[in-house]
Amino acid sequence: SVPGADRGPRAGSPRGVVDATGSFQPDALPPGLANSSLPDTSPDRTVPKHTLISTKLNEARIAREFSLIVGDQSVRRLTDFISNSPGTSGRPLEVAPQSSEAAAQVMRLALKEDLAVVPAGAATWIGAGNPSGRADLIITTRRMTRLIRHEPADLVATAESGLTLSAFQKQLASAGQWLPIDPPDDGRATLGGVVAIFAVALLWLRS
């Protein structure tokens, strides 16, 4: 006899017998229990809802719906966007609305399709801050570049977020004014981007 054999198998231990040579011989599982008695170690192939964007058919449908809002020339598929999330295809759609009304329609459609949205201006600082997670849609303000109102006497100016800071300063300069900030800028930084990342150095603090 084998010492301890009368104690029965421990939970999780393989079942079998020890032969005369001392070797362990596992019991064969009945055919009907072969699959049901063992844990399922096969990989989970369930596709999360948001990864449907990676299918060609769904990509084309969504791109077409955005094109109806902003026009064909304002929708494109990015191939060089870097995302650190395994839930994104790495090829987000970029949409460029020309007005706040169109941007609102784009956001409503993104919500309906359960898309993760990343806002962008010139995208010069899109990698600032925390690493990018899931990104299905990038809404860029590159077409929203109007100076809506400028009241020199009141020192008030209203502009769209896609207007570059350099262009904004030039328009203020026509009235002998300027905005006293000096963020890192190669001429492409937008007003929205400057505000979003607070890349503002107030010049009067330097005096």
Side-chain angles (χ1 to χ4, degrees), residues 168-194:
F168 184 62
Q169 297 285 33
K170 288 179 181 179
Q171 296 194 55
L172 295 184
S174 64
Q177 298 175 343
W178 68 310
L179 187 64
I181 61 175
D182 185 28
D185 182 17
D186 61 358
R188 295 180 295 162
T190 63
L191 296 178
V194 169

Side-chain angles (χ1 to χ4, degrees), residues 132-167:
S132 299
R134 177 185 157 204
D136 301 319
L137 176 68
I138 295 178
I139 299 181
T140 174
T141 59
R142 58 185 170 83
R143 297 178 66 210
M144 299 174 62
T145 59
R146 293 184 304 150
L147 177 63
I148 298 173
R149 181 171 67 99
H150 181 204
E151 301 291 344
D154 297 328
L155 301 179
V156 172
T158 304
E160 292 181 326
S161 59
L163 183 64
T164 63
L165 177 61
S166 59

Side-chain angles (χ1 to χ4, degrees), residues 46-63 77 85-93 113-115 134-137:
T46 303
V47 179
K49 180 180 177 182
H50 65 260
T51 58
L52 292 177
I53 190 67
S54 65
T55 67
K56 296 296 183 181
L57 181 61
N58 208 48
E59 285 182 350
R61 178 187 63 81
I62 292 176
R77 180 72 58 185
S85 171
T88 180
S89 67
R91 299 177 60 244
L93 200 64
E113 297 293 341
D114 190 27
L115 304 181
R134 177 185 157 204
D136 301 319
L137 176 68

Side-chain angles (χ1 to χ4, degrees), residues 21-98:
T21 66
S23 300
F24 179 76
Q25 302 295 331
D27 289 341
L29 292 172
L33 298 177
N35 293 328
S36 60
S37 300
L38 296 175
D40 182 12
T41 58
S42 60
D44 184 8
R45 292 182 172 84
T46 303
V47 179
K49 180 180 177 182
H50 65 260
T51 58
L52 292 177
I53 190 67
S54 65
T55 67
K56 296 296 183 181
L57 181 61
N58 208 48
E59 285 182 350
R61 178 187 63 81
I62 292 176
R64 184 166 58 251
E65 291 192 36
F66 281 121
S67 295
L68 294 176
I69 299 174
V70 299
D72 293 338
Q73 301 301 315
S74 298
V75 177
R76 63 177 178 172
R77 180 72 58 185
L78 300 182
T79 58
D80 56 353
F81 183 82
I82 299 176
S83 173
N84 295 321
S85 171
T88 180
S89 67
R91 299 177 60 244
L93 200 64
E94 183 194 70
V95 176
Q98 196 171 7

